[in-house]
């Protein structure tokens, strides 16, 4: 598939995806959602150990494409919401961690896209918010659910009910952003984290992600049992043998993802 609305660059085992609709502030329409789905479900191989997702110019994603939504019927809008939700679930469940490098506006669908990522690093210029109530609609790409799970129900209700936009520092304070960096340092710092993750045992990292994602929706008794199952699964890998041998021999481990 030839991408018109994003670029995907592979640096060794790290993928860098940049959304490229700058004139629309990278707003999410059906075309860009289709390309996002393809790049995560078809284009990226199991060899990828970390993904960096960012936006071009001054926006991460400024929201869903309002012009495209304007003529939607309720039935069409439900299809649009479910399409976005399923694509964001594909990103959320991707085998490797996904880091959102939030370089600017992350509003509406943009905030929801960032929430579907494992980690959010923000530029000092970043803005976050779920302003859908200003348009007479509600978040439709998972925002009511992921924002609540990320920052807690009280703060999520405040942001969603008021439609207020917050800056990067406030996003960091409430746990929506993991860290805040100067604009010129955002991508170098993001790549530094991506390289750190990519150097670890990829199967173990993937199992950790699976344990967190699935265990969060279980009661604690079932979740820790599930963790034990995945712990045992990690012991069946060559990477586990390599990691322990490297530790004992006081050398750097060479993980190959097997």
């Amino acid at each position: 598939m030839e991408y018109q609305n994003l670029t995907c660059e592979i640096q060794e085992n790290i993928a860098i995806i940049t959304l490229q609709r700058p004139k629309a502030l990278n707003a999410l329409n059906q075309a860009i959602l289709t390309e996002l789905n393809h790049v995560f479900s078809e284009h990226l191989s199991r060899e990828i150990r970390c993904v960096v997702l960012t936006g071009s110019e001054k926006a991460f994603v400024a929201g869903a494409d309002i012009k495209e939504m304007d003529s939607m019927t309720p039935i069409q809008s439900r299809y649009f919401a479910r399409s976005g939700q399923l694509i964001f679930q594909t990103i959320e469940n991707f085998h490797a961690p996904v880091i959102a490098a939030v370089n600017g506006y992350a509003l509406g669908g943009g905030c929801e896209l960032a929430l579907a990522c494992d980690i959010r690093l923000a530029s000092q210029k970043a803005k976050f918010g779920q302003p859908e109530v200003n348009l007479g609609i509600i978040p439709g790409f998972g925002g009511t659910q992921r924002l609540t799970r990320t920052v807690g129900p009280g703060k999520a209700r405040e942001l969603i009910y008021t439609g207020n936009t917050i800056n990067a520092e406030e996003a960091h304070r409430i746990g929506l952003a993991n860290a805040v960096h100067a604009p010129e340092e955002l991508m170098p710092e993001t790549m530094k984290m991506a390289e750190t993750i990519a150097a670890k045992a990829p199967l173990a990292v993937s199992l950790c992600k699976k344990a967190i994602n699935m265990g969060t929706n279980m009661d604690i008794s079932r979740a820790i049992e599930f963790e034990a199952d995945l712990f045992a699964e990690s012991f069946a890998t060559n990477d586990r043998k390599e990691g322990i041998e490297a530790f004992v021999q006081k050398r750097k481990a060479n993980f190959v993802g097997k």
Side-chain angles (χ1 to χ4, degrees), residues 4-6 19-29 32 55-67 103 105:
Q4 304 294 327
N5 299 285
L6 61 83
L19 304 178
Q20 297 279 3
R21 290 190 73 211
K23 291 182 179 179
L25 298 179
N26 302 322
L28 299 174
N29 60 7
I32 197 169
S56 59
E57 299 188 16
K58 62 181 181 180
F60 178 70
V61 170
D65 194 316
I66 296 172
K67 291 181 180 179
N103 54 305
Y105 296 112

Side-chain angles (χ1 to χ4, degrees), residues 47-253:
E47 303 300 315
I48 295 298
R49 297 188 181 188
C50 193
V51 178
V52 172
L53 179 61
T54 193
S56 59
E57 299 188 16
K58 62 181 181 180
F60 178 70
V61 170
D65 194 316
I66 296 172
K67 291 181 180 179
E68 188 174 83
M69 291 192 297
D70 182 47
S71 60
M72 288 182 184
T73 66
I75 292 174
Q76 290 170 328
S77 68
R78 190 182 193 283
Y79 175 83
F80 184 59
R82 285 299 291 148
S83 175
Q85 288 171 356
L86 292 171
I87 291 164
F88 285 12
Q89 282 183 292
T90 296
I91 295 170
E92 185 174 53
N93 295 321
F94 188 70
H95 71 269
V98 181
I99 304 173
V102 184
N103 54 305
Y105 296 112
L107 305 176
C111 188
E112 291 170 302
L113 177 58
L115 284 163
C117 299
D118 296 270
I119 296 167
R120 289 161 294 282
L121 303 181
S123 160
Q124 291 170 340
K125 295 182 177 181
K127 303 289 184 183
F128 295 82
Q130 298 288 169
E132 285 86 352
V133 293
N134 295 322
L135 302 175
I137 60 176
I138 74 168
F141 290 169
T144 61
Q145 304 307 307
R146 290 194 182 93
L147 185 61
T148 302
R149 287 164 168 76
T150 301
V151 304
K155 182 54 74 170
R157 286 187 175 104
E158 177 188 333
L159 290 172
I160 292 169
Y161 297 169
T162 64
N164 287 344
T165 297
I166 59 174
N167 61 26
E169 286 72 21
E170 176 66 4
H172 182 232
R173 188 187 71 80
I174 66 175
L176 180 52
N178 293 74
V180 180
H181 299 290
E184 67 274 12
E185 292 298 321
L186 177 62
M187 283 306 293
E189 289 296 327
T190 302
M191 290 304 298
K192 186 185 299 183
M193 181 179 286
E195 289 162 4
T196 296
I197 293 170
K200 309 305 179 185
L203 296 179
V205 172
S206 184
L207 290 173
C208 287
K209 176 170 179 173
K210 186 176 181 179
I212 293 168
N213 282 359
M214 297 186 68
T216 301
N217 297 311
M218 301 176 184
D219 66 80
I220 187 64
S221 297
R222 176 67 189 103
I224 59 176
E225 182 181 357
F226 181 61
E227 179 186 78
D229 293 340
L230 298 181
F231 182 71
E233 192 173 329
S234 72
F235 266 69
T237 67
N238 291 335
D239 278 352
R240 185 273 306 175
K241 182 179 179 182
E242 165 64 12
I244 292 177
E245 286 183 356
F247 179 82
V248 171
Q249 297 168 8
K250 298 181 179 180
R251 61 175 175 83
K252 184 177 180 180

